[in-house]
Amino acid sequence: MENWESIDQVGMANALSQARQSFNEGGIPIGCSLVSVDGTVLGAGHNQRIQKSSPTLHGEIAAIEDAGRLKAGMYRDATIYTTLSPCSMCTGAILLYKIPRVVIGENKTFSMGAEDLLKSRGVEVVILDNPECKELMATFIREKPEEWNEDIGEE
Amino acid sequence: MENWESIDQVGMANALSQARQSFNEGGIPIGCSLVSVDGTVLGAGHNQRIQKSSPTLHGEIAAIEDAGRLKAGMYRDATIYTTLSPCSMCTGAILLYKIPRVVIGENKTFSMGAEDLLKSRGVEVVILDNPECKELMATFIREKPEEWNEDIGEE
């Protein structure tokens, strides 16, 4: 049996560290890590809309990109940790690579409802309701609502 | 009424040019362009798995990335042209930014069935069944099956 508690601590600590880094850079504070079942961090990253003018480097995409080219099997016992409920693009990336487990810091400040699509495709979804994840996002949305709306495709 | 025939020629010519460029570089020959309703090419790109060791720069993601940061309204009268039927990640990106129209070069050499998800969400999907798109992909899959499987998350 996997020691999820210990692996999840490593994974979410990495994701939160990325989110804090992005916040401190003036960016959107969403971080992510991709961790194998033995606790190895395969990749980590954060939203880069502001830092790199990137519309596609959301936290999850940045973490998968950071991991580089992997054989299909490497994704299939991995967990992806994200500080915020994933959008449809990041959900699609999780489904593309058949990542079987998603741990989400929080889904209160934003959710596109993609968790239901993940679950319907057999992905295990764990919600942590982490106070720091919520506080980072709430602060950013309050201070920079236009950048946030741009990131989720809203006017 | 939009002159789709003329705009679609520009869009697919750009996408095919990107696919040919990738093929000539030894990469996966899938190209894409994002074109506004007045025929302006907002962005273009191609799969970068081999060239940049990127697991996330599929053609569609590369084209959206190339367009840079856009206001939400810019996507909402745009068409995305892709030489091959999109995967779940690229489908999710199209849904995230509410791009209302997708023109697909071909869906014979590969389809993940994402066209149904696009249509169910109100996106107009046009299939061209373009012979050159098919030939580029068929040649690549025959010559480099392992790289192709890696790109679609298969063993």
Side-chain angles (χ1 to χ4, degrees):
Chain A
M1 192 179 153
E2 318 309 341
N3 182 359
W4 286 127
E5 194 177 342
S6 157
I7 297 171
D8 287 354
Q9 280 180 359
V10 171
M12 189 49 67
N14 257 276
L16 248 171
S17 165
Q18 288 285 336
R20 277 185 218 115
Q21 182 187 332
S22 189
F23 186 85
N24 291 335
E25 293 168 357
I28 298 176
I30 305 171
C32 190
S33 69
L34 181 68
V35 180
S36 73
V37 74
D38 65 2
T40 306
V41 178
L42 302 171
H46 57 74
N47 190 297
Q48 295 278 7
R49 174 170 300 273
I50 291 171
Q51 294 93 322
K52 294 188 179 172
S53 286
S54 171
T56 69
L57 286 169
H58 280 189
E60 298 88 333
I61 300 291
I64 293 169
E65 184 70 9
D66 182 56
R69 288 177 64 178
L70 301 176
K71 289 291 175 193
M74 294 282 286
Y75 297 104
R76 294 193 188 173
D77 67 0
T79 297
I80 193 159
Y81 296 84
T82 175
T83 56
L84 183 68
S85 185
C87 79
S88 59
M89 172 176 66
C90 297
T91 297
I94 292 163
L95 295 175
L96 170 66
Y97 288 119
K98 301 180 180 68
I99 298 169
R101 191 164 179 270
V102 180
V103 177
I104 297 172
E106 62 105 356
N107 63 359
K108 294 291 193 303
T109 59
F110 171 78
S111 172
M112 202 174 258
E115 293 154 30
D116 289 342
L117 178 59
L118 289 168
K119 288 183 203 165
S120 77
R121 299 281 293 273
V123 177
E124 182 187 351
V125 176
V126 179
I127 313 284
L128 299 182
D129 201 35
N130 178 291
E132 187 179 352
C133 294
K134 281 190 280 193
E135 179 56 28
L136 282 167
M137 275 310 296
T139 304
F140 185 86
I141 293 171
R142 192 170 57 236
E143 292 179 355
K144 298 180 180 174
E146 288 189 2
E147 277 87 347
W148 174 239
N149 283 337
E150 189 186 296
D151 204 57
I152 55 174
E154 296 293 338
E155 302 278 3
Chain B
M1 194 177 153
E2 319 308 341
N3 182 0
W4 287 127
E5 194 176 342
S6 158
I7 297 172
D8 286 354
Q9 280 181 0
V10 170
M12 190 48 70
N14 257 277
L16 248 171
S17 164
Q18 288 285 336
R20 278 185 216 114
Q21 182 187 330
S22 189
F23 186 85
N24 291 333
E25 292 168 358
I28 299 177
I30 305 171
C32 191
S33 69
L34 181 68
V35 180
S36 71
V37 73
D38 65 3
T40 306
V41 178
L42 302 171
H46 59 73
N47 190 298
Q48 295 277 6
R49 175 171 298 274
I50 292 172
Q51 295 94 322
K52 293 189 179 172
S53 286
S54 172
T56 69
L57 285 168
H58 280 190
E60 298 88 331
I61 301 291
I64 292 169
E65 185 68 9
D66 182 56
R69 288 177 64 177
L70 302 176
K71 287 291 172 193
M74 294 282 286
Y75 297 104
R76 295 194 187 172
D77 67 0
T79 297
I80 193 159
Y81 296 84
T82 176
T83 57
L84 182 69
S85 185
C87 79
S88 59
M89 172 176 66
C90 297
T91 297
I94 291 163
L95 294 175
L96 171 65
Y97 287 119
K98 302 182 180 68
I99 298 169
R101 190 165 179 269
V102 180
V103 177
I104 297 171
E106 63 107 356
N107 61 0
K108 294 289 194 300
T109 60
F110 171 78
S111 172
M112 200 174 262
E115 294 155 29
D116 289 341
L117 178 58
L118 289 169
K119 287 182 204 165
S120 76
R121 299 281 293 272
V123 177
E124 181 186 351
V125 176
V126 179
I127 313 286
L128 298 182
D129 202 35
N130 179 291
E132 186 178 354
C133 294
K134 280 191 279 193
E135 179 56 29
L136 282 167
M137 275 309 297
T139 304
F140 185 86
I141 292 171
R142 190 168 61 237
E143 293 179 353
K144 299 181 181 173
E146 288 190 2
E147 276 87 347
W148 174 238
N149 283 336
E150 188 186 296
D151 204 56
I152 55 173
E154 296 293 338
E155 300 281 358

